[in-house]
Amino acid sequence: MLSNLFQYNIFYFHNDWFKYRNVFEQFSELVRTHYPNIVIIGENYPSSSLKTLFARILSIIKIILLICLLLDQNPFSFLHISTPKFYLWALQNKIYSCLMIFFLLNSFESYLMTTGAFEISIDDVPLWSKIETGRLPSNNEFIQTLQTFITNSSN
């Protein structure tokens, strides 16, 4: 049977893993039921390289700020810049400011990395794109798309 030649890929965004996990499992079960020889792979859909770069820079800034606050260091004096009032406040309120920095910068990092992707492909041929369509396929749409692809590939 031709289906044993295919590799079925589902790309999803890792922060949405809990949201899309059930859909991924559901589609995987449909494939295993109808085409047991198809290999199913779930992977993270990559964000743009510029957004990834900004997220990494933000992560480094977050770690530096947290370390400086916890060690009572003033990074602005090393840069020969006057210390902003918010940083002086943060030095006096370490627990609150560290939690605030950690959660706020994590949310910005997550926002930068969000793609909302749930992309389905077979042998690098796209079958469905949530980015393009704005939605996930229904079970029937998914099976019909898969059957159409396999039928066209065998001709």
Side-chain angles (χ1 to χ4, degrees):
M1 183 175 200
L2 187 62
S3 63
N4 63 0
L5 302 176
F6 294 127
Q7 180 174 313
Y8 161 70
N9 295 309
I10 295 182
F11 295 97
Y12 52 84
F13 176 62
H14 67 278
N15 281 358
D16 293 338
W17 169 243
F18 295 112
K19 184 169 137 182
Y20 292 139
R21 183 173 137 200
N22 291 337
V23 178
F24 172 76
E25 294 297 329
Q26 188 177 30
F27 287 169
S28 297
E29 187 59 36
L30 284 171
V31 171
R32 279 191 286 273
T33 301
H34 290 84
Y35 303 98
N37 295 330
I38 292 180
V39 177
I40 303 166
I41 299 172
E43 298 176 356
N44 290 334
Y45 188 82
S47 184
S48 73
S49 57
L50 186 60
K51 284 184 173 184
T52 302
L53 175 66
F54 285 142
R56 286 184 181 162
I57 290 171
L58 205 55
S59 179
I60 292 168
I61 290 170
K62 174 183 66 179
I63 290 169
I64 290 171
L65 277 174
L66 291 173
I67 290 172
C68 287
L69 281 171
L70 291 173
L71 298 177
D72 280 329
Q73 297 298 314
N74 186 348
F76 299 100
S77 62
F78 294 116
L79 301 171
H80 304 293
I81 301 172
S82 63
T83 305
K85 290 182 181 182
F86 78 87
Y87 193 78
L88 294 174
W89 174 88
L91 283 170
Q92 294 172 355
N93 301 288
K94 286 183 187 175
I95 294 174
Y96 180 71
S97 58
C98 285
L99 287 172
M100 185 175 66
I101 288 169
F102 180 78
F103 288 115
L104 281 176
L105 293 183
N106 272 352
S107 67
F108 287 130
E109 288 173 51
S110 293
Y111 172 75
L112 288 171
M113 298 300 292
T114 299
T115 61
F118 195 89
E119 312 296 298
I120 302 170
S121 63
I122 293 183
D123 290 340
D124 296 326
V125 176
L127 292 183
W128 190 273
S129 172
K130 182 181 176 281
I131 293 174
E132 290 178 15
T133 63
R135 65 183 185 86
L136 295 171
S138 68
N139 289 349
N140 290 337
E141 284 176 311
F142 174 68
I143 290 298
Q144 184 177 11
T145 304
L146 189 58
Q147 287 172 343
T148 302
F149 176 82
I150 290 173
T151 303
N152 291 340
S153 296
S154 63
N155 291 336

